Amino acid sequence: MKNIGFLSFGHWTPSPQSQTRSASDALLQSIDLAVAAEELGVDGAYFRVHHFARQLASPFPLLAAVGARTSRIEIGTGVIDMRYENPLYMAEDAGSADLISGGRLQLGISRGSPEQVVDGYRYFGYEPPEGMDHADMARRHTEVLLQVLEGEGFAEPNPRPMFPNPPGLLRLEPHSPGLRDRIWWGAGSRATAEWTARQGMNLMSSTLLTEDTGVPFSRLQAEQIERFRAAWAEAGHPREPRVSVSRSIFPIVNDMDRAYFGHESRSQDQVGMIDGGRARFGKTYAGEPDQLVRELAEDEAVAAADTLLLTVPNQLGVDYNAHVLEAVVEHVAPALGWR
């Protein structure tokens, strides 16, 4: 068995070719797709977070709304850029969303990716401290977040409070027990995956890695997962970690699928440059279900992960994306032993 979820970037554009023409459309359709996915037996609804872009941004109102409209499906992010975050406020928001959903939040975070603007976190009021760069700042914010999610008291209470306090130092409220174990780090390299394991976070790996050794993407990502699990075991954490990978998978089962994605049937890995370094991008899987089963059976990273996130073209609308999810669940997953 494998958990199967979707990952939406929440793009919107006023173009008449788009089914998602406003921020309101992107948010409301995200909720509707999560509801439809749960009805189809999909296991997770995840959302990308980008600032200064016509995409989903502040995630917690959306996650809370999805949690209120659904009862079983996991809800999460993939990923929140920690350079922009006040970790204490974030812990309160995350705790609230998790309690509304009944403990279904799976929170993916990371140090961030290339942005729409230069050093956008500075507009949010964050500046790397002396001796730190922006990545160090993101990791420092993460360290604070993980600490406060433990639920231990740390704040000195007012001796004359407006309302009675429990004894001792105060923690942030609302506190959601267990949320600390459901934090994931979006790791772009093998070394970062090892760091993730040492921090006791689950591993979230996407369709690109910020390194290239010349081997196929799936092999390189499988190496990343192997090193993560080895580092986890060495750290001696008491629980089993989770690992997710993202893939673009489009079964071609009708003429509409063929029109949209038939040209991707020969997709291959790509190598490019990100932040001045070589990066390897995974291919798109598109084809008849039998073809996809053969190709995905050879994907070492998908086999190694317990969770698969399907990237969806959200601007094609809720109905079409629900159709894509249904096609994977019905025509591909059973043949691979995922269902």
Side-chain angles (χ1 to χ4, degrees):
M1 295 291 290
K2 193 181 296 291
N3 286 337
I4 300 175
F6 72 82
L7 174 62
S8 173
F9 280 51
H11 292 282
W12 62 273
T13 176
S15 166
Q17 281 76 42
S18 174
Q19 299 294 315
T20 311
R21 301 183 186 179
S22 68
S24 176
D25 286 346
L27 289 163
L28 295 175
Q29 289 176 18
S30 294
I31 297 168
D32 289 344
L33 182 57
V35 171
E38 181 170 83
E39 292 172 351
L40 292 168
V42 173
D43 303 301
Y46 289 72
F47 304 96
R48 189 71 167 91
V49 177
H50 278 290
H51 302 289
F52 300 104
R54 290 177 173 178
Q55 294 177 242
L56 297 173
S58 178
F60 292 106
L62 173 60
L63 294 171
V66 172
R69 287 279 306 279
T70 58
S71 61
R72 179 193 58 80
I73 197 169
E74 293 181 341
I75 56 175
T77 52
V79 289
I80 297 173
D81 187 332
M82 291 301 292
R83 296 174 296 180
Y84 287 77
E85 295 297 321
N86 177 320
L88 300 185
Y89 204 136
M90 182 180 179
E92 291 181 343
D93 280 347
S96 297
D98 195 42
L99 291 169
I100 288 171
S101 71
R104 291 181 281 133
L105 186 62
Q106 304 287 337
L107 201 61
I109 62 178
S110 83
R111 72 153 193 126
S113 58
E115 307 174 81
Q116 297 298 107
V117 299
V118 176
D119 296 342
Y121 48 86
R122 299 182 191 274
Y123 294 97
F124 278 55
Y126 299 109
E127 190 83 23
E130 185 77 25
M132 288 188 178
D133 64 12
H134 66 100
D136 296 326
M137 181 176 67
R139 293 188 182 202
R140 175 55 185 158
H141 288 178
T142 300
E143 179 183 342
V144 175
L145 174 68
L146 296 178
Q147 287 174 348
V148 298
L149 287 178
E150 295 284 358
E152 300 296 327
F154 62 91
E156 187 71 31
N158 188 335
R160 298 180 183 83
M162 182 178 296
F163 307 105
N165 281 324
L169 299 177
L170 301 183
R171 68 184 184 186
L172 288 177
E173 301 290 356
H175 172 66
S176 186
L179 179 55
R180 168 62 179 84
D181 290 343
R182 288 178 272 117
I183 306 300
W184 307 59
W185 185 264
S189 69
R190 293 166 297 172
T192 306
E194 292 174 328
W195 175 85
T196 302
R198 291 193 292 271
Q199 311 314 306
M201 291 185 285
N202 301 305
L203 176 65
M204 183 173 280
S205 192
S206 73
T207 53
L208 70 88
L209 292 171
T210 55
E211 58 184 343
D212 177 43
T213 64
V215 302
F217 176 82
S218 62
R219 172 70 279 207
L220 183 60
Q221 194 173 47
E223 291 176 15
Q224 182 193 42
I225 295 170
E226 290 168 7
R227 287 171 61 163
F228 167 78
R229 289 201 167 115
W232 185 280
E234 183 178 349
H237 299 303
R239 64 178 177 87
E240 286 296 314
R242 290 183 62 183
V243 174
S244 75
V245 296
S246 300
R247 291 292 185 271
S248 299
I249 301 174
F250 301 104
I252 296 177
V253 299
N254 61 31
D255 290 340
M256 183 176 291
D257 300 329
R258 191 166 291 105
Y260 281 139
F261 298 106
H263 64 285
E264 296 280 7
S265 61
R266 294 182 177 84
S267 175
Q268 299 292 325
D269 289 356
Q270 298 181 47
V271 176
M273 302 293 291
I274 290 183
D275 287 341
R278 285 169 63 88
R280 181 167 283 266
F281 301 78
K283 69 177 186 177
T284 294
Y285 288 93
E288 304 290 333
D290 289 347
Q291 173 191 338
L292 295 185
V293 169
R294 290 193 299 271
E295 293 180 357
L296 287 164
E298 298 177 356
D299 191 312
E300 299 169 74
V302 170
D306 61 80
T307 299
L308 172 64
L309 300 183
L310 305 170
T311 59
V312 294
N314 74 281
Q315 289 188 88
L316 295 181
V318 173
D319 289 345
Y320 184 74
N321 281 290
H323 158 73
V324 171
L325 296 176
E326 184 176 27
V328 172
V329 170
E330 289 194 1
H331 299 295
V332 177
L336 288 163
W338 301 345
R339 281 291 186 270

